[in-house]
Each structure stands twice: as C-alpha cells, then as structure tokens.
Amino acid sequence: AAEKPSGGFYGAPVRYLYFHAVELYLKSYLILNGLDEKTLRHPPYSHSLAAILQEAINRGLPSSPLVHSCCEKALNFQQQIQQRYVRLGATVGPNATRLHDSCAKLRTLVEREFVRAGFLPRSMPKLPLVHAHRTPSHRKLMKSLSRRD
C-alpha cells in the first residue's frame, strides 16, 4: 500500500509481474486442457501472451475483452518479457490498474474451469494492489502492519 514513488522505473516491474501472472494463469488453463508443459516452453507459446490466449480460447476458455486488451498491450509494449530490463527514454506502458483487473478477471475464469473439471483448487490469495490510487489512512496502515500471514 506504499505510495507510488516519483520518477524512476517504478512501473516496469509492476507491469512485468502482472504480465507474468496472466501468462501463468493462461498456461495453467492450457495444461488443464491437454497441452503439455514441454510444448508451452517453446514457440509459439513461450512468453507470447497473444499465442497463449488464442490457444486457450481455441480450447474453450471464455473470451474476455479485458484479458484480450491486456494481451494486446503486451504485444504493443515491447513484449512483456522486456519489462524486466531498464530502458532509458520516455515510454508509456499499460495502465497498472487495467493489468490488475485483467489478472483478477482471468484468475476467476481459470479457477471456474478448474472447478468444472473436478479440481478443488486451494483458495487463491487476493491479488495485491501494488499501485494504490491514494495514500492509505493511518488506521489502514496500522491494520495492514498488524496482519499476520
């Protein structure tokens, strides 16, 4: 719940982690639906959200405009894998809030498919919101610091 630092490269690792979460959700769905892990490690699937999403849809994943948008943004934003590296110069990346919402939507879709297939997945933890829109109150900060995981 920390305030977003001014300047620097704060957004890149946040976006990278959201893209990575989307990739893992999609790959888990594909494994559930018969694609083996070895195949997913190689092109066209390795780190290509567009290819992974298309294969998941071909195998029955319900379509979501929010998830489509996230995968398209990964293509238009120098591929999500490059978010791991610092690049100098002005770049505008996908909005972290939209990426968070895409992850949450995809998580719900994939979890529902696992339940339909007869698996009872452990309750997944709520995705942390790492890009707070406003400074939390003193009370909220104290509450979050006193929580035990």
Side-chain angles (χ1 to χ4, degrees):
E3 214 177 308
K4 177 182 171 186
S6 61
F9 299 97
Y10 167 80
V14 171
R15 286 189 295 268
Y16 170 74
L17 291 172
Y18 280 128
F19 283 132
H20 188 60
V22 168
E23 180 181 348
L24 294 177
Y25 286 135
L26 289 170
K27 284 183 174 182
S28 69
Y29 177 81
L30 290 174
I31 291 168
L32 174 70
N33 285 278
L35 209 56
D36 63 277
E37 291 178 48
K38 186 176 179 182
T39 302
L40 289 171
R41 286 190 206 119
H42 301 287
Y45 305 113
S46 61
H47 306 301
S48 172
L49 293 184
I52 298 167
L53 175 63
Q54 190 55 56
E55 185 63 31
I57 290 169
N58 291 347
R59 291 174 182 251
L61 181 72
S63 184
S64 164
L66 194 58
V67 175
H68 272 282
S69 172
C70 170
C71 293
E72 284 175 17
K73 286 196 175 24
L75 283 174
N76 297 333
F77 194 59
Q78 304 171 356
Q79 287 292 343
Q80 77 277 8
I81 197 74
Q82 293 189 17
Q83 289 304 297
R84 296 185 302 178
Y85 307 104
V86 171
R87 292 185 182 272
L88 297 179
T91 60
V92 177
N95 180 296
T97 302
R98 298 274 298 166
L99 289 172
H100 179 273
D101 294 345
S102 297
C103 283
K105 176 68 176 174
L106 186 56
R107 177 183 141 190
T108 300
L109 291 172
V110 170
E111 193 171 38
R112 190 176 305 145
E113 295 302 315
F114 269 85
V115 170
R116 277 191 192 143
F119 292 95
L120 294 175
R122 276 187 273 160
S123 182
M124 292 187 203
K126 186 177 177 185
L127 286 170
L129 190 63
V130 294
H131 53 276
H133 296 289
R134 58 182 176 269
T135 306
S137 69
H138 178 72
R139 192 169 122 202
K140 275 193 172 184
L141 284 172
M142 294 308 291
K143 185 177 178 181
S144 70
L145 288 173
S146 67
R147 250 187 249 147
R148 294 183 191 264
D149 290 321

